[in-house]
């Protein structure tokens, strides 16, 4: 007792260097230690397999329900194609019609895409050749942006919008006509609502001014353009300037060299209320966008959508294959296990 | 004027020009004296002028050269901080790489990311390190400031007094006055001490951790000693060495105005940082200041070592560099071809600013650089940072392991090297020191032999046994200090009859024992604040005297007192001399227990309470008469011995006393024998003495523990060392008389001479006596040649010598450290001659050390042997167990010791380093050819038996436990080799053979090896065998070995701090090594190896995603993932789990790891991180990245997906895959793991959502605005995130599953074991071990039976059989003996020449095998086919026919030697 009373004040004055006996410091924290036993392994394989198989089948079924039609019109409109090869003909209009037949109704929302092949929108220097600040309507010095060389003209007039992306905008006009018993009905197509809502309302803004033309005063159109940016859609004020849907869609650079961009949606009115009925149709195309010089192709695509996306069945196949593989593996492991156990019991005997 | 000046020219010019006449009169060191012309050169010598107004100009000149005492340990100043710090940081390759990338990114042609953004990682890394450095430096600055401004008293020449000054204002040449407990501000030459002997005590704990006080003395021969020191009158000039970092080397001289020189050495140097103790005032002159002080020069930064994993990793990083270049090349070529395909530039091929297009080739070249920037993460820079963090964490955990904490010393393990934790898990060879590492280095006096008579000290042995069992520490030894052995003995009641050792009992009862991890510390240690008085645990202090010897000593004491001729006169004097030598011949410092730090330097004025010296004389006289007249009845009343005594002759009685176990009884009986006048009065004398000298307990502080042990032993026989000053030493004799010897010289111990001597003048006889104490091998050769003496004496001396030698051998075999004690009487003339010689040597400058050595050797010749002592160095607790475990872990253990062979071999047996069944080869030779042939021969023999077992071994290696083969156990080999043979091996180029041999040996013992040899052996093994080595040692002699090994471990024990300072890890007990290696080593290795592999995997799999994308973007270097996301991916989202994994993962629990040391082999063989695992991981990384890229690609192919919308799911998927991969690797899921794992994913999503919502234009020109939000509302995204990781991880999981369910790897089995409940686990471990034992070659008997076995063996065969052989081995020291001595002993002749094999161990094996025929391994023994080449006979025969056997053995060897 005497000793202890002597000790305690001393212990206070000089702390011991003895480490704490805490679970963390002694590395004795309670822990879950997963172990790959035969039951966990087998159950994991079979559960995964079953889940993947069922999900895969669902996905394939749903993907199969998508109706899609894709027409390569750069080949069909070879005349126009040739015309566009020579850039000096940029001023000459060229029209081209493509007929096709829908064997089945395309029910639901029908989307019209233009597709480009071999157009490397994802090229590094192409991707960065834009000024988001300018497209946001801000008064920025685009010299400092990555738009070069599509920044200003020699006389110093800035381009609006600047950059290679905007400059190379897809400028074909495609109209769809429904040939119903010798009468030709233009299919009503929606120009707006094809871009992301956030793009249209947040990311792209026109410069603030009382009207568009004054907002873009002092700027010039990009060299490849035929008309200035504030005349992109002369009919709809809300779809003009930077907030033009076609421009917005184009500015969202595609991930691959073969891609499609949403061009129009079929307006579900009158006889197209349920989608496109089966029958003969014609695309009337004002062919402006040259693709032949980089061996590109242009398509026009009509497609419906389901919950899992478009007509691409890959995800469903992936799920199915994966599920099958997992199940198979599970069986293999079971077989090995049984085999070994037999051997063991045999040896023990 | 003959000047020999080099760089001090300025001074000469000045002197020559202005005061040509003065220059001569002024005695400066730069002036050549007439006698000799030392070359003075300020580069070689330092000249210190005193700062007292004299020679002011010289001083001022010189002062310019010498820095002041201000220290600045900071690296930077305010101005230089940024440039210097940056410069240093860019010395790191990683940072340069970063910089290169940043610069590269600055060129628009190759720019991938934003210029500013690319700089970010670099800036972050630089900034972090800069801040860290700044904080560190600022701390140092603060510390420096406090130190610089601490106060000390410096002589001021204007005020003529000592005034207080700050440390930084102290200059070279200043006189500094220091008081007790003050810290010394600079390196100061001691000129005055208030101590009358000119001694100043110094505590050097701050410097080297040694806590015993060191003595420093005023420069000898310096005149101004006894009078108070007057700095003004000091007109000498000091010449000394230029500053160096050798703490133990300092020499120089003072030149007086009359050109006389006074030499001084390290003995007079007070080192900066030390503390003055026990000295009221000390005055000295500053010699070195500031950064030139020895303490500062010794201040080295922490060591940097590169671990094995890191070395391996660096190789793989080169692989990654190769991969990177290959990928960049693919990109470059691809881009060239792609852009060459166009006849006309497409709209998406954007020209440069000026509208020009690049040619395909140039574009390809630029693309190469672009790709380097793009794929930079492939070089896992983050890995370096993460590894540092992980190692910090690992070190923290190791440091906090309570099992590695030593309660006694209050010391946890110290990790001094931060970056080699994982090396602990890969050790293949351990090189261990013996003394202090395997043993406690607590020296306990065990036996002694005097005049050829051996005194076994059985009581002491028994006492030690009890001590061992009790596991005592020095808990309240302060209490015990009040009781002394003699006084207790006397105060015992006469009726006390118990046969136990009384003092020990007292110890036990007074001792409170604490268990567990409760805080405990000895009181004594606390009181003394700094530390405990060194080397004086109770176990060392209490020496129970041998009763027979005690009696003889008493007798002898009487005789010496009388100084009368007596029949046993010779023995008597040598007994007295022996103990006097023990008490005197040392450098022990005496202090009293009550005031621990108060040195006893003045003999206490003890008045033997009324008993005058004459009275004592009378009493002894009477006593002598009494004993002569056969009235030796003192022990008659002893209860045990009873009446048997009286009838016998004195000789018989002495013999009977031998078996008197208990000196207390004898002693007590002595006191009780009141009928006898003599005894009674003796009792009276003792009583009075012990009463008068309270407190009689002295604390002895010695430089080496053996010294203290010997002094305590002498004390036990009442030869108490009472005080010691450099001039005088006082010893209290058994009678109570105080004898004060004048010490004429002390020749300190050094490792070359292996001895020390004191020269004293006997106060009574006035004889000059040299007492020498030293290693037997040395001292025995220095003995006086008996030929000169008369026949009788000659015979007697021979006999003593032979007997002593025999005893020495016996001691050595018992594992005792032996010391020989000898003396020599000098006549006055010889001494004076020698003293002159010595003085000259002391004053010499150039080769003083050699001269001093020479003089010492000159004196220590023709000695008379007094006796020898055996000191036990007890085995540390848990050593055999640790060694067994380490061995089981597949670690080869070598013992490298400076000790002698027998001692080492015995320690090796007792700590289970060698098994009784092992075949031990001993190679001792000096001849190269012999050595070579011996090595070859041994190798052949070893191989023969090794070949038999080899195939089986391999089989075990593959399937260790699946099948239990009960094959014959093969023999294990041990190799014992000594320093001389090692020399031969190193010089003769026999390293290869030697290593080949050692590879087959279970353990190797190198005895008698020097520190250099130790390190050479370590280096040899490390370099030639390319193995991981670990050295462990505790003393200064182990430093080189510790530094030579991959991992150096210092034991912070008895012998100072040098080993600890040099080490990477410092532990306090050898047994800690077990957990450190088996548990922490394994963990650290497994964790780090897995983490490194994982990092490679992570980076490759992530970077490859970008690479695959290049195939779809025309190799243009585009990224589909936002740059911020990419940075954060590595920085935050995937960094924590692997780091946590690296710190906390436990693949197997500590208990299992300790229970199954075999698991250590996993790390040893680098099973986790080797080339194959690396390649497999790389392939897996490629596969996973392919899956992570192409599943989303195929899903989104042909759709209207945009670049970043495509990149986000890929990023998410790859995050999930990478984290799930980590989850598969993780074996332990604690709360931390869950939190970081889930936290990482949640953080990713939160960040992405917030970033994508907030950032409209913050990352121009590409903005991932609202992408994550859209994905989160898209079912495809979820479907993708589900399936892709599954596909990516399926193969790995499949393999894991196969391994986990059907695999038989040890680690997995151990993991399964871990799952079991505790009891079952123990049972399983037991089972496993027993299974191993039946298959392995090493049967492990229970320790108890093994011990028994040892003992029986010792009794049965060792003692009769070993004597001649070992004698020959240990003392066949041909360097010193020459042919004439070897002629004397026929056995010696063959030993050194052809080496010898220790057949005794074979013999022991034989007997072991037969003795324990019922034992666990007897069954295997006969199955051994070819190993019993010579002593293959029946063991029972063997014990009888030892001699024959031995001859047989030696014969066989000699034959083989002849044929060679």
């Amino acid at each position: 007792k005497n000793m202890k009373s002597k000790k305690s004040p001393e212990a206070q004055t000089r702390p011991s260097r003895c480490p704490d006996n805490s679970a963390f410091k002694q590395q004795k924290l309670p822990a879950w230690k997963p172990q790959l036993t035969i039951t966990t392994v087998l159950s994991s394989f079979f559960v995964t397999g079953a889940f993947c198989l069922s999900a895969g089948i669902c996905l394939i079924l749903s993907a199969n329900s998508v109706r899609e039609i894709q027409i390569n019109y750069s080949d069909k409109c070879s005349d126009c194609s040739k015309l566009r090869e020579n850039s000096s003909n940029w001023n000459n209009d060229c029209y081209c019609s493509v007929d096709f037949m829908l064997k089945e109704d395309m029910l639901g929302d029908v989307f019209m895409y233009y597709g480009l092949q071999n157009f490397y929108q994802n090229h590094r220097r192409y991707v960065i050749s834009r000024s988001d600040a300018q497209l946001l309507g801000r008064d920025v010095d685009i010299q400092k942006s990555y738009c070069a060389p599509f920044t200003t003209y020699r006389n110093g007039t800035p381009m609006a919008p600047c950059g290679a992306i905007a400059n190379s905008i897809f400028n074909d006009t495609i109209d769809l006509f429904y040939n119903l018993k010798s009468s030709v009905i233009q299919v009503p197509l929606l120009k707006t609502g094809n871009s992301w809502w956030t793009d249209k309302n947040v990311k792209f803004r026109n410069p603030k001014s009382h009207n568009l033309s004054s907002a873009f005063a002092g700027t010039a159109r990009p060299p490849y353009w035929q008309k200035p940016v504030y005349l992109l859609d002369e009919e709809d004020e809300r779809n003009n300037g930077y907030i033009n849907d076609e421009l917005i869609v184009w500015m969202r650079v595609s991930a691959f060299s073969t891609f499609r961009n949403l061009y129009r949606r079929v307006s579900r009115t009158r006889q197209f209320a349920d989608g496109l009925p089966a029958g003969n149709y014609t695309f009337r195309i004002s062919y402006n966008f040259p693709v032949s010089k980089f061996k590109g192709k242009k398509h026009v695509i009509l497609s419906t959508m389901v919950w899992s996306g478009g007509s691409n069945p890959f995800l469903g196949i992936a799920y199915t294959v994966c599920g099958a593989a997992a199940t198979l593996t599970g069986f293999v492991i079971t077989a090995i296990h049984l085999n070994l156990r037999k051997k063991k019991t045999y040896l023990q005997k | 004027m003959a000047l020999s000046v080099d760089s001090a020219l300025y001074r000469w010019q000045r002197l020559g020009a202005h005061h040509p006449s003065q220059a001569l009169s002024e005695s400066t060191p730069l002036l050549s004296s007439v006698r000799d012309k030392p070359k003075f050169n300020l580069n070689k010598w330092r000249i210190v002028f005193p700062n007292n107004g004299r020679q002011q100009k010289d001083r001022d000149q010189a002062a310019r050269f010498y820095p002041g005492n201000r220290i600045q340990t900071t690296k930077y100043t305010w101005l230089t901080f940024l440039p210097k710090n940056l410069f240093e940081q860019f010395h790191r390759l990683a940072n340069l790489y970063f910089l290169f990338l940043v610069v590269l990114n600055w060129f628009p042609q190759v720019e991938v990311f934003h210029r500013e953004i690319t700089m970010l990682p670099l800036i972050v890394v630089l900034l972090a390190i800069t801040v860290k450095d700044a904080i560190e430096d600022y701390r140092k600055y603060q510390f420096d400031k406090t130190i610089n401004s601490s106060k000390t008293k410096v002589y001021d020449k204007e005020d003529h007094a000592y005034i207080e000054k700050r440390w930084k204002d102290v200059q070279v040449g200043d006189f500094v006055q220091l008081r007790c407990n003050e810290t010394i501000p600079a390196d100061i030459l001691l000129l005055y001490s208030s101590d009358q002997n000119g001694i100043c005590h110094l505590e050097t704990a701050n410097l080297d951790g040694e806590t015993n006080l060191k003595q420093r003395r005023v420069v000898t021969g310096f005149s101004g000693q006894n009078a108070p020191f007057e700095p003004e009158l000091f007109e000498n000039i000091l010449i000394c060495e230029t500053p160096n970092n050798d703490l133990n080397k300092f020499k120089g001289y003072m030149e007086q105005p009359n050109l006389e020189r006074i030499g001084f050495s390290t003995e007079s140097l007070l080192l900066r940082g030390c503390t003055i103790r026990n000295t009221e005032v000390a005055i000295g002159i500053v010699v070195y200041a500031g950064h030139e002080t020895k303490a500062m020069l010794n201040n080295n930064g922490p060591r940097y070592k590169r671990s094995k994993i890191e070395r391996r990793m660096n190789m793989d990083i080169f692989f990654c560099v190769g991969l990177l270049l290959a990928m960049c090349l693919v990109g470059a070529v691809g881009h060239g071809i792609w852009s060459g395909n166009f006849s006309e530039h497409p709209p998406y091929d954007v020209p440069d600013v000026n509208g020009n297009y690049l040619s395909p080739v140039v574009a390809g070249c630029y693309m190469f650089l672009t790709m380097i920037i793009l794929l930079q993460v492939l070089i896992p820079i983050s890995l370096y940072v993460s590894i540092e963090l992980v190692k910090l964490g690992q070190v923290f955990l190791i440091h906090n392991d309570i099992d590695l904490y030593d309660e006694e010393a209050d010391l946890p393990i110290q990790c001094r090297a931060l970056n080699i934790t994982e090396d602990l898990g890969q050790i293949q060879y351990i090189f261990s020191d013996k003394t202090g590492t395997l043993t406690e280095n607590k020296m306990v006096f065990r036996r002694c032999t005097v005049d050829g008579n051996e005194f076994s000290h059985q009581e002491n042995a028994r006492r030690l046994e009890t001590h061992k069992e009790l596991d005592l520490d020095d808990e309240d030894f302060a209490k015990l200090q009040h009781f002394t052995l003699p006084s207790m003995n006397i105060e015992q009641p006469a009726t006390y009859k118990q046969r136990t050792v009384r003092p020990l009992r007292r110890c036990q009862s007074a001792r409170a024992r604490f268990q567990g991890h409760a805080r405990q510390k000895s009181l004594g240690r606390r009181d003394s604040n700094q530390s405990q008085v060194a080397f004086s645990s109770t176990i060392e202090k209490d020496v129970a005297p041998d009763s027979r010897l005690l009696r003889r000593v008493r007798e002898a004491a009487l005789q010496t007192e009388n100084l009368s001729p007596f029949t046993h006169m010779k023995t008597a004097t040598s007994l007295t001399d022996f103990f006097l030598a023990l008490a005197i011949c040392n450098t022990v410092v005496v202090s009293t227990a009550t005031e621990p730090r108060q040195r006893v330097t003045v003999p206490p004025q003890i008045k033997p309470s009324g008993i005058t010296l004459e009275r004592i004389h009378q009493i002894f006289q009477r006593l002598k008469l009494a004993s002569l007249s056969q009235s030796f009845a003192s022990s008659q009343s002893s209860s045990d011995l009873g009446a048997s005594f009286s009838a016998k002759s004195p000789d018989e009685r002495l013999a009977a006393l031998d078996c008197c176990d208990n000196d207390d009884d004898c002693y007590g009986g002595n006191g009780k024998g009141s009928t006898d006048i003599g005894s009674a009065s003796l009792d009276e004398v003792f009583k009075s003495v012990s009463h008068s000298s309270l407190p009689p307990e002295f604390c002895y502080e010695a430089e080496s523990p053996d010294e203290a042990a010997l002094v305590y032993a002498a004390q036990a026989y009442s030869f108490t060392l009472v005080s010691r000053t450099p001039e005088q030493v006082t010893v209290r004799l058994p009678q109570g008389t105080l004898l004060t010897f004048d010490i004429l010289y002390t020749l300190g111990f050094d490792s070359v001479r292996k001895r020390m001597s004191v020269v004293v003048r006997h106060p009574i006889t006035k004889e000059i006596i040299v007492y020498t104490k030293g290693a037997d091998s040395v001292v025995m050769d220095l003995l006086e040649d008996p030929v000169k003496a008369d026949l009788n004496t000659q015979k007697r001396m021979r006999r003593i010598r032979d007997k002593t030698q025999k005893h020495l051998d016996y001691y050595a075999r018992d594992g005792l450290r032996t010391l020989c004690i000898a003396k020599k009487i000098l006549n006055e003339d010889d001494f004076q001659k020698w003293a002159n010689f010595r003085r000259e040597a002391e004053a010499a400058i150039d080769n003083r050390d050699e001269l001093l050595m020479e003089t010492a050797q000159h004196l220590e010749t023709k000695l008379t042997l007094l006796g020898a002592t055996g000191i036990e160095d007890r085995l540390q607790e848990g050593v055999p167990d640790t060694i067994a475990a380490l061995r089981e872990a597949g670690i080869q253990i070598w013992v490298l010791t400076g000790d002698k062979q027998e001692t080492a071999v015995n320690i090796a047996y007792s700590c289970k380093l060698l098994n009784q069944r092992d075949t031990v080869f001993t190679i001792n030779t000096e001849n190269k050819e012999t050595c070579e042939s011996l090595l070859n021969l041994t190798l052949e023999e070893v191989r023969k038996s090794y070949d038999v077992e080899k195939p089986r071994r391999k089989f075990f290696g593959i399937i260790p436990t699946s099948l239990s083969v009960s094959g014959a156990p093969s023999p294990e080999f041990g190799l014992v080799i000594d320093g001389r043979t090692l020399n031969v091996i190193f010089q003769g180029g026999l390293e290869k053979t030697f290593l080949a041999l050692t590879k087959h040996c279970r353990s190797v013992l190198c005895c008698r090896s020097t520190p250099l040899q130790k390190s050479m052996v370590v280096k040899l093994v490390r370099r030639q065998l390319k193995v991981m080595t670990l050295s462990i040692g505790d003393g200064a002699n182990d430093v080189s070995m510790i530094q030579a090994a991959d991992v150096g471990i210092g034991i912070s024990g008895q012998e100072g701090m040098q080993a600890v300072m040099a080490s990477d890890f410092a532990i306090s007990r050898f047994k800690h090594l077990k957990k450190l290696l088996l548990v922490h080593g394994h963990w650290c290795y497994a964790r780090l190896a897995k983490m490194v592999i994982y990092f490679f995997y992570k980076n490759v799999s992530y970077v490859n995603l970008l690479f695959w994308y290049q195939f779809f973007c025309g190799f243009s270097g585009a990224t589909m993932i936002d740059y911020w996301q990419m940075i954060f991916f590595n920085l935050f989202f995937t960094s924590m789990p692997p780091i946590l994994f690296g710190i906390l993962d436990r693949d197997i629990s500590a208990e299992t790891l300790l229970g199954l040391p075999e698991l250590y082999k996993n790390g040893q063989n680098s099973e986790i991180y080797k080339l194959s695992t690396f390649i497999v991981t790389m392939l897996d990384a490629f596969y996973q990245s392919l899956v992570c890229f192409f599943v989303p690609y195929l899903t989104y192919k042909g759709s209207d997906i945009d670049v970043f919308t495509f990149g986000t799911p890929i990023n998410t998927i790859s995050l999930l895959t990478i984290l799930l991969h980590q989850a598969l690797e993780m074996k332990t899921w604690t709360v931390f793991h869950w939190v970081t794992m889930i936290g990482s994913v949640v953080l990713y999503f939160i960040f992405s959502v917030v970033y994508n919502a907030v950032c409209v234009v913050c990352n121009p020109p590409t903005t991932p605005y609202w992408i994550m939000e859209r994905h989160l509302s898209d079912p495809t995204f979820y479907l993708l995130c589900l399936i892709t990781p599954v596909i990516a991880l399926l193969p790995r999981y499949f393999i894991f599953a196969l391994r986990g369910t059907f695999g038989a790897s040890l680690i997995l089995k151990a993991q399964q074991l871990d799952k079991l409940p505790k009891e079952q686990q123990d049972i399983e471990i037991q089972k496993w071990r027993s299974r191993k034992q039946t298959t392995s070659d090493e049967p492990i008997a229970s320790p108890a039976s093994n011990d028994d076995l040892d003992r029986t063996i010792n009794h049965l065969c060792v003692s009769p059989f070993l004597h001649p052989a070992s004698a020959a081995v240990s003392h066949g020291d041909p360097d010193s003996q020459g042919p004439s001595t070897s002629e004397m002993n026929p056995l010696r002749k063959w030993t050194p020449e052809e080496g010898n094999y220790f057949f005794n161990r074979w013999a022991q094996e034989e007997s072991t095998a037969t003795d324990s025929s019922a034992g666990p391994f007897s069954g295997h023994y006969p199955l051994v086919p070819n190993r019993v080449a010579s002593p293959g006979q029946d063991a029972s025969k063997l014990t009888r026919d030892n001699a024959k056997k031995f001859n047989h053995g030696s014969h066989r060897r000699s034959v083989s030697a002849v044929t060679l």
Side-chain angles (χ1 to χ4, degrees), chain B residues 457-519:
Chain B
H457 288 76
Q458 283 171 14
E459 301 89 347
N460 207 23
R462 201 163 309 137
R463 189 181 62 90
L464 295 174
E465 283 298 314
T466 344
H467 259 279
K468 249 181 218 170
E469 284 159 26
L470 285 169
D471 185 28
L472 293 172
D473 58 30
D474 34 26
E475 176 65 27
D476 28 333
F477 103 115
K479 266 191 182 176
L480 279 170
Q481 285 169 348
H482 297 294
F483 306 102
T484 53
L485 213 56
S487 60
M488 270 200 303
N489 287 340
I490 289 157
E491 281 159 17
Q492 272 165 29
T495 45
Y496 180 66
K497 282 178 188 172
Q498 215 175 331
R499 285 187 62 92
T500 43
V501 185
R502 175 75 170 164
L504 177 65
R505 267 299 138 94
R506 195 80 72 91
C507 299
Q508 293 161 23
S509 56
R511 194 168 299 274
R513 288 173 63 208
F514 290 90
Q515 293 279 312
H517 298 301
R519 169 73 208 280

Side-chain angles (χ1 to χ4, degrees), chain B residues 1071-1101:
Chain B
K1071 66 174 177 188
H1072 291 164
L1073 202 59
K1074 184 177 171 187
K1075 193 171 183 196
L1076 185 62
L1077 292 189
L1078 295 186
V1079 178
H1080 288 293
H1082 176 93
W1083 278 347
C1084 287
Y1085 169 72
R1087 288 165 180 174
L1088 206 87
K1090 282 182 187 165
M1091 195 193 80
V1092 168
I1093 286 249
Y1094 179 76
F1095 258 95
F1096 278 114
Y1097 148 80
K1098 192 179 98 172
N1099 286 310
V1100 168
S1101 71

Side-chain angles (χ1 to χ4, degrees), chain B residues 883-898:
Chain B
I883 285 182
L886 293 177
R887 158 122 0 104
E888 223 179 301
I891 302 174
Q892 281 233 29
I893 303 174
W894 290 31
V895 171
L896 311 178
T897 175

Side-chain angles (χ1 to χ4, degrees), chain B residues 1017-1168:
Chain B
V1017 168
V1018 174
K1019 276 182 197 154
L1020 177 75
V1021 171
R1022 194 172 67 130
R1023 300 228 174 103
Q1024 299 277 323
L1025 297 182
K1026 300 223 166 31
V1027 289
M1028 290 297 289
T1029 54
L1030 177 146
S1031 289
I1032 178 165
D1034 73 324
N1037 58 339
D1038 305 317
V1039 167
S1040 58
M1041 168 171 102
I1042 285 172
Q1043 282 174 335
D1046 294 290
V1047 179
I1049 293 191
I1051 291 202
S1052 45
Q1054 309 280 318
E1055 285 197 25
M1057 298 294 283
Q1058 281 105 319
V1060 170
M1061 296 297 222
S1063 67
D1064 304 312
F1065 299 89
I1067 53 179
S1068 38
R1069 308 250 112 197
F1070 185 79
K1071 66 174 177 188
H1072 291 164
L1073 202 59
K1074 184 177 171 187
K1075 193 171 183 196
L1076 185 62
L1077 292 189
L1078 295 186
V1079 178
H1080 288 293
H1082 176 93
W1083 278 347
C1084 287
Y1085 169 72
R1087 288 165 180 174
L1088 206 87
K1090 282 182 187 165
M1091 195 193 80
V1092 168
I1093 286 249
Y1094 179 76
F1095 258 95
F1096 278 114
Y1097 148 80
K1098 192 179 98 172
N1099 286 310
V1100 168
S1101 71
Y1102 191 64
V1103 161
N1104 270 349
L1105 297 175
L1106 298 179
F1107 182 64
W1108 304 134
Y1109 191 59
Q1110 301 312 307
F1111 289 89
F1112 301 94
C1113 68
F1115 303 96
S1116 64
T1119 57
M1120 68 290 194
I1121 302 167
D1122 179 66
Y1123 189 68
W1124 286 105
Q1125 302 254 35
M1126 257 160 76
I1127 291 185
F1128 280 47
F1129 190 89
N1130 260 330
L1131 212 59
F1132 297 124
F1133 308 141
T1134 59
S1135 62
M1136 271 314 281
I1139 288 178
L1140 200 77
F1141 172 82
I1143 298 174
L1144 285 182
D1145 189 59
R1146 304 194 302 271
D1147 51 353
I1148 304 167
S1149 72
E1151 290 75 30
T1152 315
L1153 282 171
L1154 286 175
L1156 297 166
E1158 233 181 305
L1159 297 169
Y1160 188 77
K1161 286 179 182 161
N1162 182 45
Q1164 247 173 6
N1165 305 332
S1166 304
E1167 270 167 35
I1168 296 171

Side-chain angles (χ1 to χ4, degrees), chain B residues 178-184 193-195 199-206 211-216 270 273-282 528-531 596-599 701:
Chain B
L178 295 160
R179 297 194 169 268
C180 192
N181 296 335
E182 277 184 356
T183 312
I184 300 163
S193 164
S194 60
D195 185 283
I199 295 289
C200 173
H201 291 275
L202 205 63
E203 194 183 76
T204 57
N206 287 349
T211 51
N212 54 331
L213 296 190
K214 311 273 187 330
Q215 288 186 356
R216 292 289 188 267
L270 308 179
C274 301
T275 314
I276 300 277
R277 298 270 186 219
N278 295 343
T279 312
E280 227 168 273
V281 180
S528 58
N529 189 27
Q530 302 298 322
S531 65
R597 303 313 264 185
Q598 192 60 53
R599 288 297 176 283
E701 294 180 14

